[in-house]
Amino acid sequence: MKNFIFLSPNFPTNYWKFCRELKNNGFNVLGIGDCPYDNLAQEVKTSLNEYYWVHDLGDYNEVYRAVAFFAFKYGKIEYIESNNEYWLERDAMLRTDFNVTTGFNAKEIKRVKYKSEMKKYYKKAGVKVARHRLVKSMKGCSDFIKQVGYPVIVKPDNGVGANATYKLNNDDELKAFLKTKPKNYIMEEYIHALVNSYDAIVDGKGNPVFETGLVEMGDLMDIVNSNDNSLYYYLNNPLDDVAKLGRKVLKAFKVKSRFVHFEFFRLLSDQYIGKKGEIVALEVNMRPAGGISPDMMNYANSTDVYKIWADVMAFDSTLVSSGEKYYCAFAGRRDGKNFVYSEQDIIDRYRNNLKSIERVPEALSGCMGNLSFIANFETREKMQEFFDDIIKEY
């Protein structure tokens, strides 16, 4: 029986399903998390063979001791994963220290976590990238802005989602930003576009065994910074041009045995970087799309991505197939807005379409809203009516 350590099996709250399928496939599933065992949901407990509570997953020494305990008790550790952007570097450090060769090690992780490094591999795949400059001085920023013009985007070179990402429109905003003494930031030309993604589960030879993709209905940075509603949907298949580039990016990064979420921009107008409708690079994520997204992939494709991923981990293949195809819509409402239709009104109107209505965990609410509605539709037109009703205000 192979030993599989899964970090943070309790958060996001649906990630115990990865552990359940690993256990079903014969792995000895060992969880490490910062939630006391007695406070874990029952489904989390039953998906694990054993759990080790640490006070802080951010304390490397504490997590190291947990892995060492499992290695002493069970023997060689074959896998260490979290499927969580926040812990990817932690995963890589632990793999290096415990000689776990499945997954990125500490030397390899930089190219998949730092936006400035990702660009090299996007270029290798033949995908256009935004012009950029690392933020180091006022002069360097000014020289870059003379080249690309305002507005520009500044964001952490190693960051998660759209957190701490800003659009700067003039010199005064640039000066105010630099006064905060930002560390390890990257500045990019502004791209007028919406996000399309390529999501895939990849086998040990680098071939996708499952593919899908999402389309965002608004600018994620603006959603976070203006506290707006969040709207996006999952397709039942990735768009052809996105899938073509996504597969090239897989090869450029030499991805194997992973769940990935690659983000691209689809241009909304002719720009320096390309023509309207063209696909250009945004960033790679070597883990599933966050939050409830894996469940949305299941709804859109009538499948089970948790099992597909666990099958790839165990057997490097899967017999799981897709069924009926839908557009799976996510609408995240912000608290405090005066919506025309109440939660009950939405339930009454879309009872046959709704898959879930849930409060969004605070850690994810910045980009996903506070109350989420997920629903399946057979046509884009019906989905658009749903979006319009969700966000309509007095």
Side-chain angles (χ1 to χ4, degrees):
M1 183 180 291
K2 292 184 177 180
N3 297 313
F4 198 118
I5 289 180
F6 199 98
L7 268 63
S8 189
N10 59 300
F11 187 85
T13 54
N14 51 320
Y15 272 30
W16 62 269
K17 297 175 186 178
F18 287 118
C19 298
R20 176 192 63 194
E21 297 305 329
L22 289 171
K23 190 176 180 182
N24 287 342
N25 281 347
F27 283 104
N28 188 36
V29 187
L30 309 168
I32 301 174
D34 54 11
C35 176
Y37 181 80
D38 289 343
N39 294 344
L40 292 175
Q42 186 59 38
E43 56 261 31
V44 179
K45 294 178 181 178
T46 56
S47 70
L48 303 171
N49 293 90
E50 188 168 349
Y51 179 76
Y52 191 113
W53 172 46
V54 296
H55 293 82
D56 181 7
L57 276 171
D59 184 333
Y60 186 75
N61 290 331
E62 192 175 9
V63 178
Y64 179 96
R65 288 194 295 271
V67 177
F69 169 79
F70 282 144
F72 174 78
K73 183 172 180 178
Y74 295 103
K76 180 172 174 56
I77 304 299
E78 280 85 8
Y79 293 87
I80 299 176
E81 295 285 355
S82 66
N83 279 347
N84 190 323
E85 183 72 23
Y86 199 81
W87 303 118
L88 289 185
E89 288 176 290
R90 175 61 31 86
D91 299 344
M93 291 174 64
L94 291 168
R95 289 191 202 106
T96 300
D97 287 345
F98 287 90
N99 194 30
V100 175
T101 58
T102 52
F104 298 108
N105 62 35
K107 290 183 178 179
E108 296 170 324
I109 197 68
K110 185 175 182 180
R111 65 186 172 91
V112 302
K113 281 290 292 174
Y114 285 79
K115 296 174 178 62
S116 55
E117 293 292 320
M118 295 174 192
K119 292 178 184 292
K120 301 174 185 177
Y121 294 88
Y122 265 123
K123 287 181 179 179
K124 187 176 179 180
V127 185
K128 293 181 179 179
V129 302
R131 291 171 289 179
H132 73 286
R133 175 78 61 90
L134 293 176
V135 175
K136 294 183 178 180
S137 67
M138 180 68 179
K139 183 180 185 306
C141 292
S142 296
D143 289 346
F144 177 72
I145 292 168
K146 287 178 183 177
Q147 177 188 3
V148 304
Y150 282 112
V152 292
I153 302 299
V154 288
K155 53 190 176 182
D157 194 18
N158 179 11
V160 179
N163 293 323
T165 298
Y166 310 102
K167 182 196 295 184
L168 305 180
N169 298 289
N170 51 55
D171 286 347
D172 288 340
E173 291 182 7
L174 172 62
K175 291 175 183 176
F177 170 72
L178 291 175
K179 282 183 179 178
T180 66
K181 297 182 179 179
K183 293 183 178 179
N184 301 316
Y185 260 72
I186 186 173
M187 178 178 286
E188 295 182 337
E189 64 180 312
Y190 175 71
I191 305 292
H192 181 221
L194 290 178
V195 172
N196 286 195
S197 79
Y198 172 77
D199 299 71
I201 299 173
V202 187
D203 68 17
K205 300 179 181 65
N207 300 313
V209 299
F210 171 81
E211 297 174 300
T212 188
L214 68 75
V215 176
E216 289 188 352
M217 305 288 284
D219 188 310
L220 183 58
M221 179 186 64
D222 289 342
I223 289 169
V224 173
N225 291 331
S226 62
N227 206 36
D228 203 356
N229 304 305
S230 175
L231 306 176
Y232 68 90
Y233 62 94
Y234 259 95
L235 298 155
N236 42 48
N237 282 301
L239 297 168
D240 289 344
D241 52 356
V242 177
K244 181 179 179 180
L245 293 180
R247 293 167 195 149
K248 289 183 177 180
V249 175
L250 284 177
K251 292 181 179 179
F253 278 91
K254 298 181 179 179
V255 179
K256 295 180 181 179
S257 304
R258 294 205 73 74
F259 206 141
V260 301
H261 173 66
F262 295 164
E263 294 177 341
F264 297 89
F265 275 138
R266 186 178 296 278
L267 302 182
L268 293 174
S269 60
D270 291 349
Q271 297 164 63
Y272 179 89
I273 195 171
K275 299 292 185 180
K276 181 179 178 180
E278 190 173 348
I279 297 294
V280 300
L282 177 51
E283 63 182 64
V284 298
N285 299 281
M286 297 297 177
R287 44 76 182 173
I292 200 68
S293 293
D295 291 309
M296 291 180 63
M297 297 177 199
N298 286 343
Y299 298 144
N301 294 277
S302 302
T303 191
D304 188 343
V305 298
Y306 301 103
K307 179 163 176 54
I308 295 172
W309 175 80
D311 285 353
V312 168
M313 295 296 104
F315 316 118
D316 201 32
S317 64
T318 186
L319 297 177
V320 178
S321 60
S322 296
E324 293 183 63
K325 302 287 190 175
Y326 300 94
Y327 298 95
C328 186
F330 175 95
R333 280 181 166 181
R334 292 290 179 192
D335 290 344
K337 292 182 179 289
N338 295 313
F339 295 108
V340 171
Y341 299 112
S342 68
E343 179 179 338
Q344 188 59 51
D345 291 334
I346 297 298
I347 293 173
D348 292 340
R349 281 175 172 246
Y350 295 100
R351 189 178 303 276
N352 295 330
N353 304 91
L354 285 165
K355 293 296 183 180
S356 73
I357 301 175
E358 296 180 359
R359 293 294 299 179
V360 178
E362 186 176 351
L364 302 175
S365 63
C367 60
M368 298 182 74
N370 304 106
L371 179 65
S372 71
F373 299 80
I374 295 175
N376 265 8
F377 297 92
E378 293 182 354
T379 67
R380 291 178 190 266
E381 291 74 20
K382 291 294 184 182
M383 179 178 66
Q384 187 59 57
E385 291 178 14
F386 170 73
F387 281 140
D388 292 342
D389 286 347
I390 286 284
I391 64 174
K392 189 175 183 179
E393 295 183 54
Y394 287 108

